[in-house]
Amino acid sequence: MKCPRCSSQFTIKTDPENSDYVSEWGCTRNFEKWKTEGDIRQELQQKQDKEEENDAMRALENRTRESKIEMDILDGLDEIRSLNARNSKLTIDQVLNAQSKKQQDSGILDEEEVDETKKEFLEAKKKLEEQQSKE
């Protein structure tokens, strides 16, 4: 075969066991599909370990960076847990009251619309509770 860019000759063999091909002569592979992300990470980790063996400051910097990342993750997790705990204590009535107050303050709704919305919601809530009690 000939390369379409440089017109140099190369040969490849098919590999039916792996549904792939093997470079035989005159070319190199750009992408190796079997080289997974895990292998790449492992190579990077080995390289980092070698650097840390020779340089104590680099080892300290890497440990500091890793602990900071871990703390950031834990902080984010705590924040999510606290939001979930706070939101689990809210009732639908509290959410609606807060939303209607917000809309009234901004002048979007008048009193009649608020009362009408509350009535519609309470009716829907009763229907839902009746359906849940029947099940």
Side-chain angles (χ1 to χ4, degrees), residues 92 122-134:
I92 296 173
L122 291 174
E123 290 173 9
K125 184 178 174 183
K126 286 179 185 177
K127 288 179 184 178
L128 181 64
E129 289 173 353
E130 290 173 2
Q131 289 176 353
Q132 288 177 350
S133 65
K134 288 180 183 178

Side-chain angles (χ1 to χ4, degrees), residues 77-105:
L77 185 60
D78 280 343
E79 185 176 334
I80 290 170
R81 284 182 180 160
S82 66
L83 286 173
N84 286 342
R86 185 176 56 190
N87 289 339
S88 68
K89 294 177 185 175
L90 290 176
T91 64
I92 296 173
D93 294 330
Q94 291 172 332
V95 172
L96 284 176
N97 288 335
Q99 188 67 23
S100 65
K101 286 180 184 178
K102 184 178 177 182
Q103 289 176 350
Q104 283 177 349
D105 292 342

Side-chain angles (χ1 to χ4, degrees), residues 34-127:
W34 59 83
K35 194 168 194 172
T36 62
E37 186 176 323
D39 293 339
I40 294 170
R41 283 186 186 170
Q42 188 177 21
E43 288 176 10
L44 289 174
Q45 183 64 35
Q46 289 173 352
K47 182 180 176 183
Q48 184 178 2
D49 290 342
K50 279 186 177 180
E51 289 176 356
E52 288 179 359
E53 286 177 5
N54 300 332
D55 191 1
M57 281 303 289
R58 183 169 303 271
L60 179 62
E61 289 172 357
N62 289 337
R63 282 193 307 250
T64 305
R65 186 180 332 110
E66 289 170 1
S67 65
K68 182 184 181 307
I69 290 170
E70 187 177 335
M71 288 175 60
D72 290 342
I73 290 170
L74 290 175
D75 287 343
L77 185 60
D78 280 343
E79 185 176 334
I80 290 170
R81 284 182 180 160
S82 66
L83 286 173
N84 286 342
R86 185 176 56 190
N87 289 339
S88 68
K89 294 177 185 175
L90 290 176
T91 64
I92 296 173
D93 294 330
Q94 291 172 332
V95 172
L96 284 176
N97 288 335
Q99 188 67 23
S100 65
K101 286 180 184 178
K102 184 178 177 182
Q103 289 176 350
Q104 283 177 349
D105 292 342
S106 64
I108 296 175
L109 295 176
D110 61 358
E111 286 293 324
E112 293 174 8
E113 290 176 339
V114 171
D115 291 338
E116 186 178 319
T117 305
K118 283 184 180 179
K119 287 178 186 176
E120 290 174 2
F121 175 75
L122 291 174
E123 290 173 9
K125 184 178 174 183
K126 286 179 185 177
K127 288 179 184 178

